[in-house]
Amino acid sequence: MSDAPGTAASGERIALVDVNSFYVSCERAFDPKLAGVPVVVLSNNDGCVVARSDEAKALGIKTGTPWFQLAESAPQVGLIQRSSNYELYGDLSSRVMELLGRYALWQEVYSIDESFLGLAGTPAELDAQGATIRAAVARHTGLPVCVGIGSTKTLAKFANRIAKQNRHLQGVCNLDTMDPVVVDTIMSRVPVTGLWGVGSRLGVRLAALGIESVADLRAADPAMIRRKFSVILQRTVLELNGTSCIPLDDERADRKQLIFSRSFSTPVTTLADMRQVMSIYAQQAAARLEREGQQASVLTAYAGTSHFSTSAASFPSATVRLAAPTSDPVLLSRAAVNALDAQVVEGVPYTKAGVMLSGLEAAGAQPLFEEFVSAQERRNLGELLGRVTDKYGAASIGLGIAGMATAKPEWTMSRKYSSPRYTTEWSELPVVKAN
């Protein structure tokens, strides 16, 4: 095992395993009728496209396209829409990540559908491991994945791209077993903006220096890149040349804020409903803190009316400094509820609200004043709530006015086209009948 998880030791390689069209694939895993047809998954309140199948991409549908622009023509082109089913996607993600960890020396979950793995073996053995991983994920979850293998995270990401775009590779690309001339040719044809971490604005600046392809960036002088751009881009150049220098979770190590924000399907017009919103959002944010092993010392609560509203605009916001860093859902919920009480105007149609936590630090540090540690934190109430909601869904448990109710509040997100929560809700489990 490597001494520094997230970087390859001598003889090790890094694999990037990515679920293909994750949201769409989750829908298809439980609804075979969706296979081979154009499918899009919509954002909160069924607003716009956030995920597309290959068939939908072939129709020219772009990410971010409003659904109302597609709705009329959808039946003619066979386009199927689904609301975002976050409960299903989150549960399948956790199953995939747990399964991938069985095949790795170390694992870094990079996103909901991506994970870096540390692997060891000869190039031929690594090819076989990649194929085994693909087969295992397909067999146990029904989801298709591609595996990219390289000596650095950046090269593993690039190899994953090659695996996705070249079907003859059967979902596995190991740069060590590819002809170097072929790899060089591919790099010369892929624009630099197709590389991990290089956006369109940075691409324009690089193009001004004649750096237009991945091959151009690999050949650039690392010192010059650092001087004109950043140490982060310098690392990318080094990684393209085989020097592993992006350690575990380095991309997010400087995170300073955590935000939980949503738009409402129906405007919130009363202080009582806004208090409920704030309590629920604060508890969701607290659960994220707990999962990431962090505490917050500052909470900001905010709300807002639609920018297109004909009535008076209102954007209340309040920031509270907590007595001590905490992830306690009771304290955070109380702070969020109280923060906006004096600013929310009855009768004003608020369409969005959120809770932002800042001043983040690692949990577990000895508090300066023991009296500020709440009873809930001593009993690990936040951890308990997080485990319950992770296993049984966000509506399974709550505190105070954010607790369970017989019906959803009117303001909750509209998900008109949502599929069942096949794996997290007892009443929606798939039923198999045998003749």
Side-chain angles (χ1 to χ4, degrees):
M1 184 175 293
S2 67
D3 294 331
T7 60
S10 177
E12 288 186 15
R13 285 296 181 261
I14 296 176
L16 188 280
V17 184
D18 181 15
V19 182
N20 303 339
S21 302
F22 179 60
Y23 286 4
V24 172
S25 293
C26 289
E27 298 290 347
R28 286 175 166 173
F30 291 91
D31 189 352
K33 297 192 299 294
L34 299 179
V37 301
V39 180
V40 294
V41 176
L42 305 176
S43 63
N44 296 340
N45 297 315
D46 299 330
C48 60
V49 173
V50 294
R52 308 161 292 160
S53 67
D54 289 339
E55 297 80 4
K57 294 175 184 177
L59 292 175
I61 297 172
K62 305 295 184 183
T63 298
T65 303
W67 171 244
F68 74 84
Q69 294 181 2
L70 303 171
E72 185 176 350
S73 62
Q76 284 75 40
V77 297
L79 179 64
I80 304 297
Q81 78 281 11
R82 289 287 184 268
S83 303
S84 294
N85 190 338
Y86 299 116
E87 296 88 348
L88 177 65
Y89 308 154
D91 184 62
L92 289 182
S93 173
S94 65
R95 296 179 187 222
V96 170
M97 299 310 163
E98 189 278 330
L99 181 62
L100 294 178
R102 302 178 190 179
Y103 296 89
L105 300 174
W106 52 261
Q107 178 181 22
E108 178 190 334
V109 178
Y110 182 69
S111 68
I112 192 171
D113 61 344
E114 296 177 282
S115 184
F116 288 107
L117 307 178
L119 303 178
T122 66
E125 289 172 339
L126 293 178
D127 284 340
Q129 285 186 53
T132 298
I133 288 171
R134 288 194 77 235
V137 175
R139 182 172 65 252
H140 292 291
T141 69
L143 300 177
V145 302
C146 281
V147 182
I149 302 172
S151 58
T152 69
K153 285 184 174 181
T154 302
L155 288 174
K157 268 275 199 178
F158 189 74
N160 187 276
R161 176 192 174 102
I162 297 175
K164 283 186 175 181
Q165 297 183 350
N166 296 271
R167 292 189 177 182
H168 71 278
L169 294 176
Q170 298 182 322
V172 179
C173 175
N174 180 0
L175 295 181
D176 288 338
T177 56
M178 290 188 69
D179 184 338
V181 175
V182 173
V183 175
D184 291 343
T185 300
I186 295 174
M187 286 188 170
S188 68
R189 293 177 178 175
V190 176
V192 71
T193 51
L195 197 62
W196 181 35
V198 181
S200 57
R201 292 183 180 179
L202 182 55
V204 171
R205 294 176 60 198
L206 287 168
L209 297 177
I211 301 174
E212 298 182 341
S213 69
V214 173
D216 293 336
L217 185 61
R218 183 180 61 171
D221 175 23
M224 180 273 293
I225 291 294
R226 177 169 183 167
R227 186 172 63 254
K228 290 184 175 294
F229 296 92
S230 67
V231 66
I232 295 175
L233 191 60
Q234 180 192 39
R235 290 178 181 176
T236 298
V237 175
L238 294 172
E239 291 235 328
L240 285 172
N241 286 280
T243 301
S244 187
C245 54
I246 300 179
L248 177 68
D249 212 23
D250 184 73
E251 297 79 16
R252 290 165 287 174
D254 60 348
R255 181 175 182 173
K256 301 300 183 184
Q257 297 175 333
L258 185 153
I259 300 174
F260 191 94
S261 176
R262 295 287 186 272
S263 296
F264 308 136
S265 60
T266 301
V268 168
T269 59
T270 69
L271 179 58
D273 281 348
M274 186 60 74
R275 286 171 174 168
Q276 185 182 37
V277 170
M278 287 293 108
S279 182
I280 292 174
Y281 287 9
Q283 290 179 46
Q284 294 292 327
R288 289 186 183 178
L289 278 181
E290 190 68 42
R291 282 194 293 269
E292 297 178 10
Q294 292 185 307
Q295 295 177 324
S297 57
V298 178
L299 179 146
T300 300
Y302 58 91
T305 54
S306 170
H307 290 281
F308 305 101
S309 176
T310 56
S311 59
S314 178
F315 299 94
S317 175
T319 298
V320 179
R321 177 163 291 279
L322 305 167
T326 183
S327 61
D328 175 13
V330 174
L331 295 180
L332 294 175
S333 177
R334 184 182 302 151
V337 169
N338 292 337
L340 292 186
D341 263 13
Q343 298 191 46
V344 170
V345 180
E346 290 277 352
V348 171
Y350 296 102
T351 58
K352 185 175 183 178
V355 170
M356 180 175 71
L357 302 177
S358 54
L360 304 187
E361 61 181 54
Q366 184 67 28
L368 183 61
F369 299 105
E370 181 66 22
E371 62 267 25
F372 288 131
V373 179
S374 69
Q376 294 81 234
E377 287 178 299
R378 294 190 182 95
R379 296 195 300 267
N380 294 319
L381 181 56
E383 180 183 357
L384 172 62
L385 292 176
R387 291 204 309 268
V388 173
T389 55
D390 284 346
K391 187 171 184 178
Y392 299 107
S396 60
I397 192 170
L399 299 171
I401 56 177
M404 291 181 289
T406 56
K408 290 184 178 180
E410 291 185 0
W411 51 263
T412 52
M413 284 190 301
S414 173
R415 295 194 288 182
K416 189 186 303 182
Y417 313 109
S418 183
S419 55
R421 294 163 292 179
Y422 296 105
T423 61
T424 60
E425 183 67 31
W426 284 108
S427 62
E428 298 176 16
L429 293 178
V431 176
V432 177
K433 297 181 180 179
N435 294 327

